[in-house]
Amino acid sequence: MLNSLRDATALKVDSNRLYSANNDEIKAGATTDIYFINTRDVLASVNKLDTEVTAEIFSRSTGMFAGLAEVLELLSDAPVKIEALTEGEYFSPKEVVMRITGPYGAFGIHETNLLGMLASSCAWASAARECVEAADGKPVLVFGARHLHPAVAPVMESMAVKFGGCSAASCILGAKLAGQEPKGTIPHAAVLIMGDTLKLAEAYDAVMPSEVGRTFLVDTFHDECEEALRLAHAMGERLDAVRLDTPGERGGVTAELVREMRYRLNHEGFNHVKIVVSGGLNPERIKLLAGAGADVFGVGSYIAHAVPMDMTMDLKVVDGKPVAKRGRLPGILENKRLVRVK
């Protein structure tokens, strides 16, 4: 652990590496703000580094609480007591979501890290839940890894599944962290390389295990409805779903397109073929497309780009005395929803 400014100054970093911090670097305090290191030096010089304190964390936003598991891992070796909301619960503005009690030196260095974990995790879980509620019982898949740095993409997708309610994730590590196997279809690149949607579908069907779903993009070369029917006639019951990801340059995925495709598939006896939609989806578009007949929704950027929720940590008790900076109320703020987690 970086215990002093001297330690931080002596830290050597090889620039020929991935820029994301690894677990050891985070736990050592290498991703904290330098002023928390300075604080350790100052407090240690007057024998106050291990002053007993109580800190409370709150947000100015409404959201879904998530990220607790990472905070507990971060502070697993710290001799502190932690109380928190249950992950998956909603919190209101300025409601205390977590309370930490113990020697300041045991956890103060990690204020930057734990606030960042909560800020992003709560935002991702909240955005995912918005999409799930908009889908009204129909599955929502999260595949937003391409919109984030790979160091945090698995966190985003696991939060979207575990607490946001998404039915599956496409990022391998994200799905595994959520206790699932990753799920996904196949990219336009494969269709373009094969040169024909049906040829790609046939090759996929011949190679992939039977438990892997047969869902194929139908917007690469020809009219989406024609491609969907072409696949359906060739594959019959083996075709699980077709996916619409029509780009904005072609008008995007519209309610009219979904409605026509659902009609044409049903008209020719392919009621079992589901329609998966993706491409710039948000809760409003999900509601619209669900009403038109879409069955499954693939959401990326709306969840991945959720704005992190500002999280604040205040010391409220120091050496048994209620304290607060100006504008805040001194002492512990009661929240009966908090439960002891460490």
Side-chain angles (χ1 to χ4, degrees):
M1 186 163 132
L2 302 182
N3 289 307
S4 66
L5 180 58
R6 178 178 296 177
D7 291 340
T9 303
L11 178 66
K12 302 300 181 184
V13 178
D14 184 355
S15 61
N16 297 316
R17 53 168 283 177
L18 296 179
Y19 279 21
S20 52
N22 60 42
N23 286 10
D24 290 340
E25 289 170 325
I26 294 172
K27 286 189 172 185
T31 57
T32 197
D33 292 305
I34 190 63
Y35 47 80
F36 290 113
I37 301 294
N38 297 342
T39 298
R40 291 182 63 84
D41 281 351
V42 173
L43 293 179
S45 72
V46 293
N47 297 317
K48 286 184 175 292
L49 181 57
D50 288 327
T51 299
E52 190 77 6
V53 301
T54 296
E56 292 186 335
I57 299 171
F58 69 90
S59 172
R60 296 184 182 277
S61 308
T62 296
M64 174 173 287
F65 186 60
L68 173 61
E70 280 201 295
V71 172
L72 291 177
E73 176 62 27
L74 178 68
L75 301 179
S76 60
D77 296 328
V80 297
K81 169 187 173 183
I82 301 177
E83 301 164 276
L85 293 179
T86 300
E87 288 185 290
E89 288 186 335
Y90 280 102
F91 55 81
S92 57
K94 289 200 170 183
E95 179 180 6
V96 177
V97 300
M98 182 180 293
R99 184 181 295 129
I100 305 173
T101 300
Y104 180 76
F107 71 93
I109 189 176
H110 287 306
E111 179 174 338
T112 303
N113 296 329
L114 65 89
L115 292 181
M117 289 172 173
L118 295 177
S120 291
S121 294
C122 291
W124 291 325
S126 299
R129 181 56 63 89
E130 288 180 48
C131 294
V132 169
E133 291 178 351
D136 195 25
K138 294 182 177 181
V140 175
L141 314 177
V142 55
F143 43 75
R146 67 181 57 197
H147 299 289
L148 292 175
H149 193 286
V152 296
V155 188
M156 178 272 297
E157 296 214 355
S158 66
M159 292 298 105
V161 171
K162 292 177 70 174
F163 307 112
C166 289
S167 60
S170 63
C171 172
I172 297 170
L173 183 55
K176 299 280 187 177
L177 288 169
Q180 295 186 350
E181 290 301 313
K183 292 185 179 180
T185 56
I186 201 162
H188 287 95
V191 185
L192 290 167
I193 291 170
M194 288 294 291
D196 180 81
T197 302
L198 180 56
K199 287 181 180 179
L200 179 280
E202 290 172 338
Y204 185 98
D205 189 38
V207 171
M208 298 303 290
S210 59
E211 62 269 19
V212 177
R214 270 57 177 162
T215 298
F216 302 105
L217 288 157
V218 292
D219 55 24
T220 308
F221 291 118
H222 304 293
D223 176 81
E224 294 90 341
C225 291
E226 291 178 2
E227 287 281 60
L229 290 172
R230 184 168 169 240
L231 291 178
H233 281 290
M235 299 183 68
E237 293 294 326
R238 298 196 313 284
L239 180 63
D240 296 304
V242 292
R243 177 179 158 205
L244 293 171
D245 192 56
T246 307
E249 293 86 344
R250 279 292 190 175
V253 180
T254 65
E256 291 75 15
L257 175 58
V258 172
R259 196 172 289 114
E260 179 186 350
M261 179 166 288
R262 182 73 274 160
Y263 179 90
R264 289 182 179 276
L265 285 169
N266 290 354
H267 182 70
E268 298 202 25
F270 301 113
N271 305 62
H272 72 281
V273 177
K274 296 185 182 303
I275 298 175
V276 180
V277 293
S278 59
L281 298 187
N282 56 36
E284 292 72 27
R285 281 180 46 74
I286 289 172
K287 288 181 182 178
L288 177 67
L289 297 177
D295 301 291
V296 182
F297 307 89
V299 183
S301 59
Y302 186 82
I303 298 174
H305 292 170
V307 178
M309 297 180 174
D310 286 347
M311 290 283 173
T312 298
M313 186 172 89
D314 282 345
L315 293 190
K316 304 304 296 291
V317 179
V318 174
D319 253 346
K321 299 177 183 179
V323 298
K325 68 180 183 181
R326 294 175 60 191
R328 305 281 165 75
L329 301 177
I332 290 173
L333 298 180
E334 187 63 34
N335 185 353
K336 294 182 179 179
R337 296 208 296 147
L338 299 183
V339 295
R340 177 77 180 267
V341 293
K342 184 180 188 300

